[in-house]
Amino acid sequence: TPRQTPPCLHIGRRRLAQRNSSGLLLLAMDDWKAAFGEEWDAVVLGTGMKECLLSGLLSVAGKKVLHLDRNDYYGGASASLDINQLFEKFQAGAPPSEAELGKLRDWAVDMVPKFIMAGGQLVKVLIHTKTANYMEFKAVDGSYCYRAPKARSSGEFGRVHKVPLTPKEALSSSMLSMLEKGRMGKFTMWVASIDCGKPEGFFEDGSFRDMPYWTRVGMTGRKKMPLTQWNGDQFFKDWGLEAGTIEFLTHVCALYRDESWRSAPALEVVSRMQLYLESRTRFAGMTSPYLYPLFGLGELPQAFARLAAVHGGTYMLNRDLDGSPVFGPNDLSLEYAEDGTVAGVVNHDGEEAVVARTKTVVGDPSYFAGKTKPTGSVVRAIALLDAPLAEMEKDGASSCQVIFPAAQCGRCNDLYLFLCSNAHKVAPVGKYVAFLSTKVEGPTQGMSNEQIAHRELAAGLALFTRPGAPMPLHLFYDAYPTYAPLTNGTKDRVFISESFDATSHFETAINDVLDMYQRITGETLNLDALAAAASAEQ
């Protein structure tokens, strides 16, 4: 569970009327039934990052929100666990030892480890909502890319290459030939220079001559680039880059986790590469495009919980003031009106059913049996280390991401290695926590999580078994199914988020949140304008 409860309302079976440490007046309630007895604009189920973000955004928009969780802690699937909870969750046998692991209180292990793109949507939401005021962030030190050995059958481990930061590092990198480095340099400069929102092929009145296009300088003059008509394959064929360069650009820079870039619109591919470049220079001193909050990602749902509380949101964890649960694991259900739209959330309190009236329900898939479909599975290995990777040590990095492009591992989906340390306040001094994750591709029936991980994560796990590698002090394995809603929720007003995927960043998650917000409210958040206005106020 997160280390500290956010300053928002907890409803139990006693009367509450007090101010918290931030001076926020807590709503007086005789008991939780009083909250259920009110009418709400929205009831949110689950306190995962997506649900807390939506609760905060809806509260900022003036909605009256009741937020429930069947757990007695914040974070749901995206919580940060302390070391004792981690050992308990994975049934590690003997309790954690301070002699082996350092100060036990300093561990905070994320269950959904993801970096934040510094120029991405989540940062804009943090700025717009001023939630960043509740948190501290630190840049991730390095970004790396894995390349397999030429002869995979030799048993030789591949190489982990640092993504170059400067022209000098680019020239010294062995990932590309000198000739290809020149082509890559021209390509990168072109990507950084164009405005994806302003094609060149239009008249002053805004009508298009033929089709929207952009241009680049070719061998015989300026050449049209119809990015809205081309797919990724056509786009890269026009540039004539080598296969290894294209793989690096699409998987490490554009962050595609598979080969879907080939059929994706070329404009999308370019936009994603621009996000990488913009994130890399978003804040002073950045040495990668990624940010990570101090004390782990469990801070995110707590920060958005604070935001909702400041704007009148009411939170109810499954914990009474005396620590006892308020409702059981299967006590919450939905009630519908005659027209098929949701009418409330029901808590079956023993013999009595108590209904929180609302016309909008939001939640994660675990609350809606029968209303979701499976989309696959994610497998993850969690390693507690007492030394960094050799490549990190060489560069003086305390945190990093390593991307294993699928083709380099003989797979269809990329592997992601995420590693951080005491620099981000998630481990004791001299200790590190590493996460390796990917989408499960093979059958899993009858297999343990460890067996699944060793099959799916083999290339990444080899980082810890190669000569001179840091042997994990402890290694845990996790696998879980992912779900998506059967419908978009606009008909019955039940809006369900998608499970977190295997990607190592939050862009897919925040896009799901923004899409849900539009469906819930009928309004689109212009995050660029809102973030700019919020920055101007500060």
Side-chain angles (χ1 to χ4, degrees):
T1 58
R3 297 173 318 289
Q4 183 178 357
T5 300
C8 57
L9 177 62
H10 298 273
I11 304 172
R13 299 182 187 275
R14 303 179 189 175
R15 187 173 183 81
L16 299 177
Q18 58 185 12
R19 291 183 181 272
N20 60 25
S21 59
S22 301
L24 176 64
L25 181 63
L26 300 181
L27 180 64
M29 291 286 180
D30 288 325
D31 56 29
W32 64 268
K33 292 180 182 178
F36 267 63
E38 295 190 18
E39 181 88 18
W40 302 91
D41 294 324
V43 175
V44 180
L45 302 178
T47 54
M49 191 280 289
K50 291 184 181 182
E51 288 69 42
C52 285
L53 203 164
L54 280 165
S55 178
L57 290 172
L58 292 171
S59 296
V60 169
K63 306 297 183 183
K64 183 181 177 183
V65 179
L66 174 63
H67 202 145
L68 310 174
D69 198 315
R70 64 164 70 97
N71 297 312
D72 62 355
Y73 58 87
Y74 285 90
S78 52
S80 296
L81 303 185
D82 64 36
I83 196 69
N84 292 299
Q85 292 165 333
L86 182 72
F87 273 56
E88 181 181 350
K89 176 178 175 64
F90 293 104
Q91 299 178 340
S97 165
E98 196 157 280
E100 178 188 37
L101 296 172
K103 290 184 178 180
L104 300 183
R105 67 180 184 179
D106 290 345
W107 289 98
V109 182
D110 292 323
M111 290 296 95
V112 182
K114 290 180 182 287
F115 290 133
I116 299 169
M117 296 295 289
Q121 299 283 59
L122 182 53
V123 169
K124 294 172 185 176
V125 171
L126 289 166
I127 293 173
H128 159 55
T129 59
K130 299 181 174 63
T131 312
N133 298 337
Y134 304 134
M135 304 178 65
E136 292 183 79
F137 297 85
K138 186 180 185 300
V140 174
D141 290 335
S143 180
Y144 296 82
C145 175
Y146 171 79
R147 285 284 174 88
K150 292 183 179 179
R152 295 185 189 177
S153 59
S154 65
E156 179 187 354
F157 184 78
R159 292 191 61 186
V160 175
H161 298 267
K162 183 182 180 182
V163 177
L165 294 174
T166 65
K168 182 178 179 180
E169 287 186 359
L171 288 173
S172 63
S173 174
S174 60
M175 279 197 294
L176 306 177
S177 67
M178 289 302 297
L179 184 61
E180 186 68 0
K181 287 174 183 177
R183 289 193 287 262
M184 171 79 160
K186 291 180 181 178
F187 175 83
T188 304
M189 290 179 62
W190 180 84
V191 168
S193 68
I194 72 164
D195 185 340
C196 286
K198 293 183 179 180
E200 299 174 37
F202 57 86
F203 292 113
E204 290 184 1
D205 65 0
S207 61
F208 291 107
R209 297 186 180 95
D210 180 16
M211 66 179 69
Y213 65 82
W214 291 255
T215 60
R216 70 178 179 92
V217 177
M219 296 293 292
T220 58
R222 300 197 70 82
K223 184 176 183 179
K224 291 183 179 180
M225 306 282 288
L227 300 183
T228 57
Q229 307 297 315
W230 281 353
N231 60 29
D233 246 345
Q234 293 169 310
F235 171 69
F236 282 111
K237 183 179 180 180
D238 185 79
W239 278 94
L241 297 172
E242 294 177 357
T245 306
I246 296 172
E247 179 185 72
F248 172 81
L249 290 168
T250 53
H251 289 259
V252 180
C253 297
L255 296 173
Y256 284 95
R257 53 185 168 176
D258 51 29
E259 293 298 282
S260 59
W261 62 268
R262 294 184 179 277
S263 58
L267 187 62
E268 175 192 295
V269 177
V270 174
S271 297
R272 291 176 69 151
M273 287 187 287
Q274 285 187 339
L275 171 60
Y276 187 96
L277 295 173
E278 292 165 2
S279 296
R280 165 67 184 78
T281 57
R282 178 66 175 82
F283 301 102
M286 295 282 292
T287 53
S288 81
Y290 311 113
L291 299 171
Y292 196 69
L294 299 189
F295 304 107
L297 291 173
E299 296 296 297
L300 275 174
Q302 291 199 63
F304 286 113
R306 293 184 181 99
L307 172 70
V310 167
H311 291 273
T314 300
Y315 276 70
M316 180 178 172
L317 297 180
N318 193 13
R319 182 178 63 206
D320 206 338
L321 293 181
D322 60 6
S324 60
V326 176
F327 40 76
N330 300 311
D331 282 354
L332 295 175
S333 64
L334 302 183
E335 181 177 288
Y336 292 89
E338 291 183 0
D339 62 0
T341 60
V342 72
V345 174
V346 185
N347 181 21
H348 304 276
D349 182 44
E351 298 294 327
E352 182 182 6
V354 185
V355 183
R357 295 294 174 189
T358 185
K359 295 181 179 179
T360 299
V361 173
V362 181
D364 72 60
S366 68
Y367 286 86
F368 304 99
K371 297 180 75 68
T372 61
K373 59 185 177 183
T375 56
S377 298
V378 171
V379 62
R380 181 169 293 121
I382 304 171
L384 308 184
L385 309 167
D386 60 3
L389 300 177
E391 293 80 7
M392 294 173 59
E393 200 162 24
K394 176 185 175 182
D395 298 327
S398 61
S399 56
C400 76
Q401 169 170 251
V402 183
I403 293 179
F404 296 70
Q408 300 295 322
C409 310
R411 293 175 47 81
C412 298
N413 292 273
D414 293 358
L415 272 63
Y416 298 94
L417 175 67
F418 149 78
L419 190 149
C420 54
S421 65
N422 182 259
H424 283 93
K425 308 298 183 187
V426 296
V429 175
K431 307 298 180 185
Y432 301 80
V433 58
F435 304 88
L436 187 65
S437 58
T438 191
K439 183 175 181 178
V440 175
E441 294 181 358
T444 60
Q445 187 174 3
M447 297 178 66
S448 67
N449 289 347
E450 181 174 354
Q451 290 172 325
I452 297 169
H454 278 277
R455 184 190 67 197
E456 303 284 343
L457 302 172
L461 289 172
L463 274 178
F464 305 121
T465 58
R466 58 182 173 160
M471 291 296 294
L473 301 171
H474 290 274
L475 193 56
F476 306 104
Y477 304 98
D478 191 20
Y480 60 88
T482 56
Y483 298 93
L486 289 172
T487 66
N488 65 12
T490 54
K491 187 174 181 180
D492 62 3
R493 300 295 297 171
V494 177
F495 301 93
I496 306 171
S497 63
E498 296 181 4
S499 301
F500 287 103
D501 58 32
T503 55
S504 59
H505 56 84
F506 271 113
E507 288 307 294
T508 54
I510 193 66
N511 288 337
D512 184 30
V513 168
L514 296 176
D515 182 58
M516 289 178 69
Y517 182 87
Q518 192 278 328
R519 284 182 273 129
I520 293 167
T521 65
E523 301 173 0
T524 301
L525 281 176
N526 185 339
L527 288 178
D528 290 317
L530 292 170
S535 297
E537 289 179 8
Q538 296 176 357

